[in-house]
């Protein structure tokens, strides 16, 4: 049991960090110039011309699903907090708060990285993590970023092996909107599902480099045949992109997708029959200095395991909540 808790602790710490890095990856793209057609704006938004050094991430995710497995319980996640880049290939500083609801059970957690240590918050209490955990995350991030070091176009997207510009199809101009006081162009687009799933496979491999298990059954990358089958399960997918009118920097991303599993894909999707997925991602205070410091008086790593054991005990026996999860709209 103790070995299992140690492994789970590391994965919780890495998962929080990886979530921050994935979200920061989306913010690390700032266009410069380019045409004004929807396709040109979209391409420019996801091509990194100047680095975003700091800002605040606000991420909301919900999944309302039906199926034969406990993992299909409705869930929602809200993650927010500041980040500060430490340079190419270096783990950024960040301080993130997480609120999650799974099957009606609510969980609060957090993570702070200061450049020399990682701290994890569980049920309102802060804990130091072993230095080996922080070192592993640093090495994983450096490894995931190294592939972009020789690219002609440097971007955090390319370090993860993905290119959203290639799977957002048929973009159209939906007018303008203000996000965090910045005037943006609102673009809507469909999703080229096979291209999107190919990038999901690459992102899964990048997650493995950071110590995360694959989100799909079987782990590892997704085969070409599985991509074809999974594409048949996604019945609708819509993406809204809000890009800075003057700088073509991504400010908000909204995804709404419906999945209906086929007989062939139910095993790949862990027994899921159908689901609606929504994701809202917003960035604010871009390139403004962020103050990120270690929590006061954190408990020692030895106290983290008992806290985690108590948390896992509280999660046991949780029953599925009625209905699906919802997200509050972004104002």
């Amino acid at each position: 049991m103790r070995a299992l808790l140690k492994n789970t602790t590391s994965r919780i710490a890495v998962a929080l960090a990886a979530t921050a890095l994935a979200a920061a990856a989306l913010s690390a793209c700032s266009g410069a110039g380019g045409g004004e057609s929807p396709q040109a704006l979209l391409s420019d938004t996801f091509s990194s011309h100047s680095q975003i050094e700091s800002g605040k991430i606000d991420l909301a995710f919900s999944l309302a699903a039906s199926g034969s497995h406990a993992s299909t319980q409705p869930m929602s996640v809200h993650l927010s907090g500041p980040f500060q880049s430490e340079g190419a290939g270096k783990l950024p500083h960040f301080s993130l708060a997480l609120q999650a609801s799974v099957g009606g059970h609510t969980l609060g957690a957090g993570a702070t990285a200061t450049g020399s240590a990682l701290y994890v918050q569980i049920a309102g209490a802060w804990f130091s993590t072993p230095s080996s955990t922080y070192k592993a995350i640093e090495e994983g991030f450096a490894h995931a970023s190294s592939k972009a070091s020789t690219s002609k176009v440097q971007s955090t997207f390319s370090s993860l092996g993905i290119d959203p510009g290639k799977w957002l199809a048929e973009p159209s101009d939906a007018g303008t909107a203000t996000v965090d006081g910045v005037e943006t162009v609102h673009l809507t687009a469909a999703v080229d599902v096979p291209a999107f799933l190919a990038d999901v496979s690459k992102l899964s491999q990048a997650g493995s480099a950071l110590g995360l298990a694959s989100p799909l059954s079987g782990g590892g990358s997704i085969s070409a045949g599985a991509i074809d089958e999974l594409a048949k399960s996604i019945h609708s997918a819509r993406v809204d992109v809000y890009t800075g009118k003057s700088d073509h920097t991504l400010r908000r991303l909204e995804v709404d997708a419906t999945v209906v599993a086929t007989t062939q894909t139910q095993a790949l999707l862990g027994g899921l029959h159908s689901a609606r997925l929504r994701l809202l991602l917003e960035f604010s205070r871009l390139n403004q200095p962020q103050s990120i410091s270690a929590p006061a008086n954190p408990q020692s790593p030895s106290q983290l395991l008992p806290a985690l054991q108590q948390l896992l005990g509280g999660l046991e026996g949780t029953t599925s909540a009625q209905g699906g999860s919802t997200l509050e709209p972004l104002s």
Side-chain angles (χ1 to χ4, degrees), residues 37-234:
S37 70
Q39 185 61 60
L41 280 172
L42 192 65
S43 298
D44 206 38
T45 298
F46 292 106
S47 297
S48 181
H49 298 283
S50 59
Q51 188 72 17
I52 298 301
E53 299 294 338
S54 60
K56 182 179 179 181
I57 300 165
D58 200 343
L59 170 68
F61 169 87
S62 73
L63 178 67
S66 65
S68 59
H69 194 273
S71 63
T72 60
Q73 295 181 60
M75 66 171 292
S76 62
V77 176
H78 182 222
L79 183 77
S80 63
F83 66 91
Q84 181 82 43
S85 172
E86 290 300 296
K90 295 183 179 179
L91 187 70
H93 293 192
F94 58 82
S95 183
L96 299 171
L98 172 72
Q99 290 292 324
S101 176
V102 181
H105 186 94
T106 301
L107 167 69
T112 295
T114 62
S116 59
L118 175 71
Y119 304 90
V120 174
Q121 184 188 47
I122 297 176
W126 282 99
F127 301 86
S128 300
T129 64
S131 58
S132 58
T133 298
Y134 185 79
K135 183 178 180 180
I137 295 173
E138 277 191 311
E139 292 176 350
F141 181 71
H143 177 74
S145 302
S146 63
K147 293 181 181 179
S149 62
T150 57
S151 300
K152 293 182 179 180
V153 178
Q154 298 293 321
S155 74
T156 312
F157 280 117
S158 62
S159 72
L160 296 175
I162 63 176
D163 184 358
K166 291 184 178 179
W167 44 261
L168 296 179
E170 302 176 354
S172 62
D173 190 332
T176 60
T178 301
V179 178
D180 187 41
V182 176
E183 188 174 10
T184 68
V185 177
H186 176 194
L187 303 172
T188 63
V191 176
D192 181 331
V193 175
F196 167 72
L197 290 174
D199 267 2
V200 168
S201 178
K202 294 175 183 178
L203 188 58
S204 177
Q205 293 178 64
S208 296
L210 288 169
L212 292 172
S214 170
L216 294 172
S217 298
S221 61
I222 311 172
S223 68
I227 287 175
D228 290 340
E229 288 297 329
L230 287 169
K232 299 174 185 176
S233 296
I234 300 180

Side-chain angles (χ1 to χ4, degrees), residues 223-302:
S223 68
I227 287 175
D228 290 340
E229 288 297 329
L230 287 169
K232 299 174 185 176
S233 296
I234 300 180
H235 283 207
S236 65
R238 169 192 168 100
V239 177
D240 291 80
V241 176
Y242 296 79
T243 183
K245 188 172 183 178
S246 62
D247 61 10
H248 303 173
T249 300
L250 181 66
R251 300 287 176 162
R252 182 190 291 175
L253 180 71
E254 304 179 5
V255 179
D256 194 336
T258 300
V259 179
V260 179
T262 65
T263 302
Q264 291 77 15
T265 58
Q266 280 188 15
L268 284 169
L269 297 173
L272 181 146
H273 294 162
S274 64
R276 183 185 181 189
L277 178 151
R278 298 185 65 207
L279 182 144
L280 307 178
L281 177 63
E282 185 170 309
F283 303 103
S284 59
R285 301 177 63 189
L286 292 182
N287 285 336
Q288 296 181 28
Q290 303 298 312
S291 178
I292 299 171
S293 57
N297 303 316
Q299 299 183 44
S300 68
S302 64

Side-chain angles (χ1 to χ4, degrees), residues 7-46:
N7 183 59
T8 306
T9 301
S10 297
R11 287 194 176 278
I12 285 178
V14 175
L16 285 166
T19 302
L21 299 176
L26 290 173
S27 70
C29 296
S30 176
E36 295 298 326
S37 70
Q39 185 61 60
L41 280 172
L42 192 65
S43 298
D44 206 38
T45 298
F46 292 106

